[in-house]
Amino acid sequence: MAKKRVSLVLGSGGARGYAHIGVIDILQKRGYEIASISGASMGALIGGLYACGKLDEYRDWVLGLDTLDVAYLLDISFSRGGIIEGEKVFDKLSTMIGDANIEDLPIKYTAVSTDIVRKKEVWFQQGNLLEAIRASIAIPSVFTPVTRENMVLVDGGALNPLPVAPTQSDLTDMIIGVNLYAETPKPNLKTEKSEDERKRKIETAVKDLFLRAKEERKFTMFDILDKTFDTMQDALTRYRIAGYPPDIMVNISMHVCSTFDFHKAAEVIEAGRLAAADVIEDLNSTPS
């Protein structure tokens, strides 16, 4: 029996984007061929890493990150339109991706960004892969934007959190979208004991540092940014799905983590696996 060819649409959602790794795992294990990927923000990052064959290396790296590692990677800057430069992260990504060009990838790939000068989507379907990813993940006010020609490029999710449109001309059997803003309960996820122990040590180390801030105010600056961006992304995702619905939707609970919980890779990847497995099981049990 021939593999079913799918176009995979990976949505934006910050650290929730780790769930895309779990979804890809299940699709591969169930015999689906990913022939095309379109992504915004973390969806563009995970999709690009898969397309260039570096997703396993990236997975190994993020599974080893804890809260302090993530804090070290955030190079703070208030001078270029964003709180975080992101150069440390992209130095690491550049060692994985190298000088890969989109047109040389074995599958069709689209990274979606937003030009805030022209107020339009920008689709990267050729050129340097790392540059396209960088332009797609620049969360407004958080990561510094990318200036290119006459454009100022920020996160693709600012206009299109789930970019289905680039895949609609694909000659594939189905379009599968992965929505990271589903209003469903957080799944019950098991955490390894080693992970629990590591978290306890980290929480003990930073508890005193943040205790006073928590007592003085309910929300930090990142909390406000997180909640504001989540609200916008949820509304935009609903709007985009109404106009460009995929054939199949994998819904990841928006409560699985917050936008900036980049130290929670293990549990978020598992959430992606569970959600995808449920959808594929239902799909396979439905009479054709």
Side-chain angles (χ1 to χ4, degrees):
M1 182 177 177
K3 288 185 176 182
K4 286 191 174 181
R5 289 165 47 85
V6 303
S7 297
L8 187 59
V9 183
L10 303 178
S12 65
R16 299 181 191 90
Y18 287 145
H20 295 319
I21 300 175
V23 173
I24 290 171
D25 282 348
I26 294 298
L27 289 176
Q28 291 181 307
K29 289 178 180 177
R30 300 298 171 86
Y32 289 82
E33 177 189 350
I34 301 171
S36 168
I37 290 181
S38 173
S41 196
M42 273 292 282
L45 172 59
I46 300 301
L49 287 160
Y50 174 79
C52 72
K54 299 298 182 180
L55 187 56
D56 287 344
E57 183 179 349
Y58 176 79
R59 181 211 313 264
D60 291 342
W61 177 54
V62 297
L63 284 173
L65 296 177
D66 57 32
T67 308
L68 298 182
D69 294 325
V70 172
Y72 171 76
L73 289 167
L74 301 182
D75 35 358
I76 305 299
S77 170
F78 294 93
S79 61
R80 295 181 54 202
I83 299 169
I84 300 167
E85 289 277 1
E87 294 307 316
K88 292 179 182 177
V89 174
F90 273 88
D91 285 346
K92 179 65 177 180
L93 291 175
S94 69
T95 66
M96 300 180 192
I97 296 173
D99 294 324
N101 288 318
I102 295 172
E103 58 268 31
D104 297 327
L105 298 175
I107 64 175
K108 179 187 172 187
Y109 171 81
T110 304
V112 176
S113 183
T114 301
D115 177 13
I116 58 175
V117 175
R118 297 182 300 163
K119 303 179 181 64
K120 292 183 178 180
E121 290 179 39
V122 177
W123 295 2
F124 288 90
Q125 296 179 317
Q126 60 182 5
N128 184 270
L129 175 60
L130 189 64
E131 290 180 4
I133 292 171
R134 178 68 179 86
S136 185
I137 72 166
I139 299 175
S141 300
V142 179
F143 290 99
T144 53
V146 173
T147 302
R148 179 172 175 176
E149 298 172 354
N150 295 320
M151 299 182 291
V152 178
L153 300 168
V154 300
D155 196 296
L159 280 181
N160 196 349
L162 194 67
V164 176
T167 67
Q168 291 200 312
S169 63
D170 293 345
L171 299 176
T172 55
D173 297 306
M174 67 182 72
I175 300 172
I176 298 178
V178 185
N179 169 30
L180 302 180
Y181 286 94
E183 268 293 355
T184 55
K186 180 180 178 179
N188 185 19
L189 302 169
K190 292 183 179 180
T191 307
E192 295 293 335
K193 289 184 179 179
S194 60
E195 183 74 8
D196 287 337
E197 182 180 356
R198 184 176 66 175
K199 285 183 179 180
R200 283 196 299 271
K201 290 180 179 179
I202 295 166
E203 288 170 359
T204 300
V206 301
K207 183 177 179 181
D208 292 339
L209 180 63
F210 290 104
L211 183 59
R212 183 175 300 174
K214 288 182 179 180
E215 290 175 346
E216 291 177 355
R217 56 193 179 189
K218 187 175 181 180
F219 290 110
T220 66
M221 177 179 63
F222 275 101
D223 290 330
I224 294 170
L225 285 170
D226 182 24
K227 297 301 182 185
T228 301
F229 202 65
D230 280 356
T231 302
M232 294 168 56
Q233 295 281 277
D234 183 34
L236 281 169
T237 299
R238 293 171 189 269
Y239 171 76
R240 288 293 184 169
I241 291 172
Y244 295 94
D247 299 309
I248 304 295
M249 183 70 81
V250 178
N251 285 308
I252 310 297
S253 172
M254 67 184 298
H255 307 293
V256 71
C257 72
S258 73
T259 302
F260 304 107
D261 281 342
F262 288 102
H263 59 288
K264 295 184 177 181
E267 58 192 88
V268 180
I269 291 172
E270 181 62 17
R273 289 195 192 102
L274 292 174
D278 286 345
V279 170
I280 297 302
E281 183 177 347
D282 290 343
L283 181 62
N284 290 341
S285 64
T286 302
S288 58

